[in-house]
Amino acid sequence: MAEKNEKEKAVNEQIRDFGQVELEHGEDRISMLTIIGEIEGHECLPAATKTTKYEHVLPKLAEVEENKNVDGLLLLLNTVGGDVESGLAIAEMVASIDKPTVSLVLGGSHSIGVPLAVSTDYSFIVPSGTMVIHPVRMNGTVIGAQPTYDYFKQMQDRILKFIAQHSKAEQKRLEELMMNMGILTKDLGTILVGRQAVEEGLIDSIGGIHEAFAKLHQLIHEAKSCGKKSF
């Protein structure tokens, strides 16, 4: 009994501190990871801000890749975006995992959250979920010179290229959505709600947690039957 209580306590602490949990269903062992609030990068955000720290996420993703007891990854997203470099680093890590991965957009996956949503093998969004595509922004003093513009353009191209490579959306169309002036008041960009994200090719299907788990179990079984994974 004491051992069971200690195990439950460890699981609760893992969920509370890092938004992570290991799930087991039959022979399938799934690691669930949440990306919520604002993605914190090289600078600490205010204590009152709900954040996902990339220095917590990257080691967890490395463990998912190397742990032979993990068969797949479920990524739950409800984020306003955040640090571009850190968000792309997480997305690249997820995309390079050699195990079945599925993402589910709950609430929203905005800004740098878009590359995170498309980085998995298959993606879902709930009907009321939203995705916002907008140009790169920067806080603080910005020098209005050509090199600054070139840097912003290079960063945007990196983001658009990643999204296009990991979804069905074309880079040219993504740039049109990013530079749209007719939806966001006093700003550039596009809000896609639920099925619109699927129609634009960003997300694979409409669905919730049931559909996400079902798809992940399917991908895990296909991988095992093909002999790709050795568990």
Side-chain angles (χ1 to χ4, degrees), residues 44-61:
C44 292
L45 294 171
T49 303
K50 181 71 70 175
T51 65
T52 295
K53 301 178 185 296
Y54 85 112
E55 68 267 28
H56 292 166
V57 176
L58 295 184
K60 179 60 181 178
L61 293 174

Side-chain angles (χ1 to χ4, degrees), residues 13-14 16 24 29 33-34 51 63 73 86 92 103 106 122 131-132 143 148 175 182 191 198 209 230:
E13 289 178 352
Q14 188 81 347
R16 183 190 66 215
E24 191 168 340
R29 290 152 296 188
L33 177 65
T34 60
T51 65
E63 185 206 359
L73 172 69
S86 301
E92 289 283 11
S103 64
L106 300 161
Y122 202 89
M131 303 184 79
V132 177
I143 299 174
T148 302
E175 190 165 3
I191 302 173
V198 177
I209 192 69
S230 55

Side-chain angles (χ1 to χ4, degrees), residues 77 79-80 103-119 123-134 163 167 174 177 183-184 189-198 200-205:
L77 296 154
T79 176
V80 296
S103 64
L104 172 60
V105 176
L106 300 161
S109 190
H110 306 161
S111 191
I112 200 62
V114 177
L116 286 165
V118 306
S119 64
S123 57
F124 288 94
I125 186 170
V126 294
S128 61
T130 58
M131 303 184 79
V132 177
I133 304 174
H134 64 74
I163 297 172
S167 71
L174 291 170
L177 295 172
I183 295 181
L184 296 176
T190 301
I191 302 173
L192 300 174
V193 181
R195 187 160 297 282
Q196 290 177 313
V198 177
E200 290 290 349
L202 281 175
I203 300 296
D204 292 308
S205 296

Side-chain angles (χ1 to χ4, degrees), residues 140-205:
T141 302
V142 177
I143 299 174
Q146 185 64 36
T148 302
Y149 171 80
D150 293 340
Y151 172 72
F152 271 59
K153 183 67 168 60
Q154 182 189 55
M155 188 175 292
Q156 287 179 183
D157 288 344
R158 288 165 57 202
I159 295 170
L160 293 176
K161 185 176 181 180
F162 181 93
I163 297 172
Q165 288 176 339
H166 294 87
S167 71
K168 300 182 183 72
E170 295 184 359
Q171 187 166 339
K172 184 178 179 180
R173 174 56 178 164
L174 291 170
E175 190 165 3
E176 290 175 358
L177 295 172
M178 180 179 279
M179 298 301 175
N180 183 17
M181 296 185 293
I183 295 181
L184 296 176
T185 305
K186 296 183 180 179
D187 199 359
L188 299 174
T190 301
I191 302 173
L192 300 174
V193 181
R195 187 160 297 282
Q196 290 177 313
V198 177
E199 292 171 352
E200 290 290 349
L202 281 175
I203 300 296
D204 292 308
S205 296

Side-chain angles (χ1 to χ4, degrees), residues 209-230:
I209 192 69
H210 174 76
E211 289 78 11
F213 270 121
K215 185 63 178 182
L216 187 52
H217 287 304
Q218 176 192 333
L219 294 176
I220 290 172
H221 295 163
E222 290 175 357
K224 288 181 177 179
S225 64
C226 292
K228 182 179 179 182
K229 309 293 187 290
S230 55

Side-chain angles (χ1 to χ4, degrees), residues 1-12:
M1 180 64 71
E3 183 179 346
K4 182 180 179 181
N5 290 337
E6 285 297 321
K7 186 176 181 180
E8 290 179 352
K9 182 180 178 181
V11 170
N12 290 335

